[in-house]
Amino acid sequence: SIKYETIYDEEPSSRDFRLWMKDIDEELKGRKFILVIDNMDRLPKIKVQELWSAINTLFAEQHYKNIIIIVPFDRDHIKSAFRAENIRENKDFGNDFINKTFGVVYRVSPPIMSDWKHYFTIMWEKAFGRNATIDENITQIYDLLAENKTPRDITAFINKFVSLRQISDETIPDRYLALYICGEQKIKDKPLDEITKPSYLGALNFLYEKDDQLPKYIAALYYQIEPNRAIEVAYLDRLRKALENGDKSDVTTISTLTNFEDLLENAITSVSNVPNAV
């Protein structure tokens, strides 16, 4: 048998592409070919415009008997990509582009996790082994602090928990790992402030606001050091600088820590600007 292969290196024109698709459509002879263009909501604005223009040109203006094009999209993301650059115009072209491109648009409702705890348990056992027990504090923390409870979010939370447990001191209780994961972004933005006066606790503030161990463990997780040294490493130098600069605000913040007297005693020995410190 002889096999012929044609390699086309040039960028095809819109006409060439449509003719190619038409040939495929005819060769299918009644069989259906479904083409899915996915993950458009992950593209930057300019790429969305380029891809949408190609979809509109190549598929919206040409109908095929055996080829079906499916494009999952986030309407808000598409509208944002085609919003007028001039804010004063306040024009929104997104809906116009959507209506001109598709013959029919189906709305898919967001997933509802009616029994998310059951799925959480399944994924937990996948991560830690069959019949692995879950600390009730962890599900409580996730329930009250997690923004979403979709399968993807639950999996991401447990994956973070696994990796954090592997690199953290084994003496840190699981509930503090869960708190750290839920408040990670705020802690990264303002670590020293969040360690002393945590705003990430949200609805759990009543339960942990007077927990003397919380600052130590959160500092240990953030700086990846032993819990017993975490507060000293995190705040000793900051307290010294605050005393040097006469910064009453910083000293007041650090004074809320349970071991403030020990920190103060160590920081004073390194102070050179005594008048400011006084």
Side-chain angles (χ1 to χ4, degrees), residues 25-77:
D25 188 42
E26 293 175 354
E27 287 294 326
L28 287 170
K29 298 178 180 178
R31 293 173 296 173
K32 298 299 179 184
F33 174 69
I34 300 176
L35 175 62
V36 181
I37 303 176
D38 201 2
N39 292 328
M40 187 176 294
D41 57 337
R42 299 183 183 181
L43 296 175
K45 180 178 179 179
I46 187 64
K47 292 296 183 182
V48 171
Q49 294 176 354
E50 292 175 358
L51 181 56
W52 200 276
S53 175
I55 292 172
N56 187 72
T57 302
L58 302 174
F59 300 116
E61 298 176 3
Q62 180 71 41
H63 298 282
Y64 305 100
K65 293 180 180 179
N66 303 309
I67 299 176
I68 301 170
I69 312 298
I70 299 177
V71 185
F73 65 89
D74 179 348
R75 184 176 290 269
D76 290 336
H77 188 68

Side-chain angles (χ1 to χ4, degrees), residues 38-211:
D38 201 2
N39 292 328
M40 187 176 294
D41 57 337
R42 299 183 183 181
L43 296 175
K45 180 178 179 179
I46 187 64
K47 292 296 183 182
V48 171
Q49 294 176 354
E50 292 175 358
L51 181 56
W52 200 276
S53 175
I55 292 172
N56 187 72
T57 302
L58 302 174
F59 300 116
E61 298 176 3
Q62 180 71 41
H63 298 282
Y64 305 100
K65 293 180 180 179
N66 303 309
I67 299 176
I68 301 170
I69 312 298
I70 299 177
V71 185
F73 65 89
D74 179 348
R75 184 176 290 269
D76 290 336
H77 188 68
I78 300 302
K79 289 168 66 175
S80 175
F82 289 100
R83 187 169 291 125
E85 296 294 338
N86 187 352
I87 299 178
R88 293 181 180 178
E89 293 181 11
N90 196 28
K91 291 183 179 180
D92 187 353
F93 300 105
N95 285 326
D96 290 339
F97 278 100
I98 292 170
N99 295 334
K100 290 178 180 178
T101 301
F102 299 113
V104 61
V105 177
Y106 294 94
R107 176 186 173 272
V108 179
S109 64
I112 299 175
M113 291 290 286
S114 58
D115 190 10
W116 66 268
K117 289 185 179 180
H118 177 65
Y119 182 77
F120 194 101
T121 302
I122 293 174
M123 299 310 295
W124 188 269
E125 290 183 351
K126 275 191 173 183
F128 293 99
R130 187 177 296 276
N131 300 321
T133 57
I134 308 175
D135 186 341
E136 292 183 358
N137 291 300
I138 295 177
T139 52
Q140 180 192 44
I141 290 167
Y142 187 79
D143 186 21
L144 295 178
L145 298 186
E147 294 183 3
N148 301 300
K149 296 180 179 65
T150 65
R152 180 181 295 178
D153 291 313
I154 290 174
T155 302
F157 174 85
I158 294 177
N159 286 342
K160 285 184 179 180
F161 192 98
V162 171
S163 61
L164 194 60
R165 171 49 72 202
Q166 290 176 337
I167 64 174
S168 302
D169 191 286
E170 61 183 12
T171 62
I172 302 176
D174 287 348
R175 62 182 178 277
Y176 295 106
L177 271 69
L179 285 171
Y180 178 83
I181 293 170
C182 290
E184 185 174 19
Q185 190 56 57
K186 287 186 176 181
I187 295 170
K188 284 182 177 179
D189 291 342
K190 295 182 178 180
L192 298 178
D193 293 331
E194 288 296 330
I195 290 171
T196 53
K197 295 182 179 179
S199 64
Y200 62 86
L201 290 176
L204 289 173
N205 188 63
F206 77 97
L207 196 59
Y208 291 96
E209 63 177 342
K210 295 182 180 179
D211 186 342

